[in-house]
Amino acid sequence: MDKIYTVDDQGEQREAYDDWASSYDDDLGTNSYKTPGRIAAALKQCLPATQSNPRILDWACGTGLSGSALKEAGFNRLDGCDISEGMLEKARAKGLYNELFKTPLGVPDTAMFKDYDVVAAVGAVSVGAAPAECLPAIVDGLKPGARLAVSFNALTLADDAYMNTLRDVIERDDTTLEFSEDGPHLTAEHVSKSRVMVIAKK
């Protein structure tokens, strides 16, 4: 698991996630992965009654651990995407998503987010995963009233590039930070904490 935090090249990152797919659920389960459930609970708290059954894109969904948490919280209009075909194969086998698709490396096309009420990026925009520039790209693509539910692990919270980008996003005139809470992430000491946030687009 530690290997993923040291990979900088995005092509190598895709290969690393493909290689990790077969043991990903077991590795994170062994380390008591709490963030997906915390993201789902934050969304339940923030979403208005008019969005009780939102259409959600689980962006960088991996094997579907985040999708499982969202489903358990009562969200069932789920699509998922990831850069890794190996991860998508595992997610597909769980039958959680209405649609699953592979995404290119790098900053995403903002148009892919326009039809969703929520984009969940659980451990996705972080050190060892997507670059900080993905955060404003997702927010740019959200329609008014939509939300981004995102988490930063401890390594990401200590990274100036990610934190400066986060600050810029939540200080925009067209966003509101509705929820921000630090809590348990994994049992591994260097990533034991994560911050869960919900950002609404005005």
Side-chain angles (χ1 to χ4, degrees):
M1 184 174 70
D2 289 341
K3 177 184 176 182
I4 202 66
Y5 299 120
T6 64
V7 177
D8 293 323
D9 179 80
Q10 290 189 334
E12 292 180 5
Q13 188 180 86
R14 172 179 276 166
E15 292 177 6
Y17 277 104
D18 281 341
D19 291 342
W20 192 12
S22 61
S23 63
Y24 185 85
D25 286 11
D26 288 340
D27 289 348
L28 268 65
T30 299
N31 279 278
S32 301
Y33 189 29
K34 301 295 187 185
T35 298
R38 292 176 53 223
I39 284 272
L43 280 172
K44 293 284 280 188
Q45 179 176 323
C46 292
L47 286 168
T50 54
Q51 289 185 334
S52 60
N53 190 24
R55 188 179 180 205
I56 299 177
L57 176 64
D58 188 3
W59 188 75
C61 65
T63 63
L65 291 177
S66 46
S68 293
L70 290 165
K71 201 88 166 182
E72 288 174 10
F75 300 116
N76 53 39
R77 297 174 65 204
L78 301 176
D79 293 343
C81 64
D82 203 274
I83 63 168
S84 164
E85 185 56 42
M87 291 283 182
L88 288 171
E89 286 180 11
K90 295 294 183 180
R92 198 170 287 117
K94 293 177 180 175
L96 298 166
Y97 300 96
N98 298 319
E99 182 181 354
L100 279 168
F101 55 96
K102 188 174 179 180
T103 50
L105 295 169
V107 177
D109 181 354
T110 61
M112 71 181 292
F113 307 112
K114 65 182 178 62
D115 294 326
Y116 292 97
D117 302 305
V118 172
V119 174
V122 185
V125 184
S126 64
V127 174
E133 294 80 11
C134 292
L135 193 66
I138 296 171
V139 172
D140 287 345
L142 295 177
K143 62 187 178 183
R147 286 163 174 80
L148 167 64
V150 61
S151 66
F152 276 12
N153 64 24
L155 295 176
T156 308
L157 290 169
D159 188 289
D160 286 344
Y162 285 92
M163 294 307 292
N164 290 338
T165 302
L166 173 64
R167 182 201 62 219
D168 290 345
V169 165
I170 62 179
E171 289 181 354
R172 287 169 45 159
D173 292 338
D174 64 345
T175 64
T176 300
L177 179 62
E178 292 186 324
F179 184 96
S180 180
E181 183 179 79
D182 291 355
H185 178 53
L186 295 165
T187 54
E189 184 175 351
H190 60 299
V191 284
S192 61
K193 180 182 77 171
S194 68
R195 180 171 300 165
V196 164
M197 295 164 281
V198 178
I199 301 168
K201 184 79 172 285
K202 296 179 183 176

